[in-house]
Amino acid sequence: MFSSGQAQSCPLSDSDTRTAPTTAEFIVEWEKVWYTGEIVNTLFSADDFIPVDISEFLVSKKTSPRAAGREIAIFTPDEQKLIDTLMEIVQTRAADRIDIFSRRIRDLKRLAAAIARFPPLLERHDLTGGVRTPQLLIESLIKHQDNGDTTVQLPSKAILGKGFLIAKIHTFSSLTKLSERIAAPEELTAALYAETSTLMFSLLAEDVYLNLICDTEQPMEFRHEWALSLLLLWEHWIDQTIALVAPVLQAVWNARRQLAPAFGTMMGTSELLLISIQLDNQWADFIKEKLSDEMFLQAMEEFLFGISYEQIQRLRAILRKKGIPAIGRDEVATYLNEHIKTNASLDYRDFYALYTVRRDNARARSRMKLPGPHKTLEDYFIQFTTKKNKEKQNNDVFI
């Protein structure tokens, strides 16, 4: 998928001694370069990667793999602040947990140090199998149109980094439970849970980017941008777009739980409007722009009702035939005669599990040219956010 047998191939993993910048250094410089639009010219203005341009925001001096491991930022400053606050309370209310948590942090650092030994994805490398550059990786992502699981075709650093992210999600989930158990302030527990959810959305972002990159109906400019965002995500597992959209998607999920969708008429419009009233202008603008898109409305219905497009069609037909105007969530499984979890909780794991079901169904419909949504609600929202960010950047250039 993302490698080639040509002279300038893109081997996906090999040992190397170069190191990526720390997260803080990278994000600061990256925002400067990306906001001005210079990065697009840097990566795509020539047939090969241009080291002098990329070095403006990448560490260029060589260090040993072990030194690279020491530079990995395990937690962001905000995450560290939450942990420090909780640990102060734990010291007095559950001191026996301190040692357990310290061991977990040591394990995370060892894992991060091991991942740091793999060559950064944002630099040029002459590896055993050939030359690998960010541009070649991006072009490979865009050109790949094959179906099937891509796990063995992705860069090793991407796969290992996902494992690190999942370990970090579990860590914050455990901290949230500990905060509840020792009766820490509610705002602290809520903040720890919010951070856990945000990390989950970073995991979700990888799937969304891969979906959008392979969508040939999208502008090539956007596909390049999503591919570059994916490399950034694989390198640091911190994504600026997700940081913006995660709170909105989480709020939609929470609002969905508080509503009682009209199973029967199966009309999602009223629920959609009720959700929109509770959220910010970004979501309202998104809904306003997409209401005329039939596939978007189908994706929204799947999200709202918690069942697939095919199940929604079957349920509509059954209730219409029986003359039943409406039913509750707990009756859906009975009428469809199959196990269905429609009462998903606010837990981040339920969100991700149901997302993956919708994701897989959308991919299958797209592959087999079947009716129904070919994208998830999350795909549509990140696509919309990218478009708006690009419009803002273009407008700022002319100010």
Side-chain angles (χ1 to χ4, degrees), residues 147-161:
N147 296 314
D149 188 85
T150 60
T151 299
V152 298
Q153 297 168 309
L154 298 178
S156 297
K157 193 164 191 177
I159 301 300
L160 295 170

Side-chain angles (χ1 to χ4, degrees), residues 130-157:
V131 173
R132 185 182 77 183
T133 71
Q135 184 179 356
L136 288 174
L137 282 173
I138 287 171
E139 294 298 336
S140 296
L141 284 165
I142 291 173
K143 290 177 182 177
H144 176 74
Q145 294 294 320
D146 295 335
N147 296 314
D149 188 85
T150 60
T151 299
V152 298
Q153 297 168 309
L154 298 178
S156 297
K157 193 164 191 177

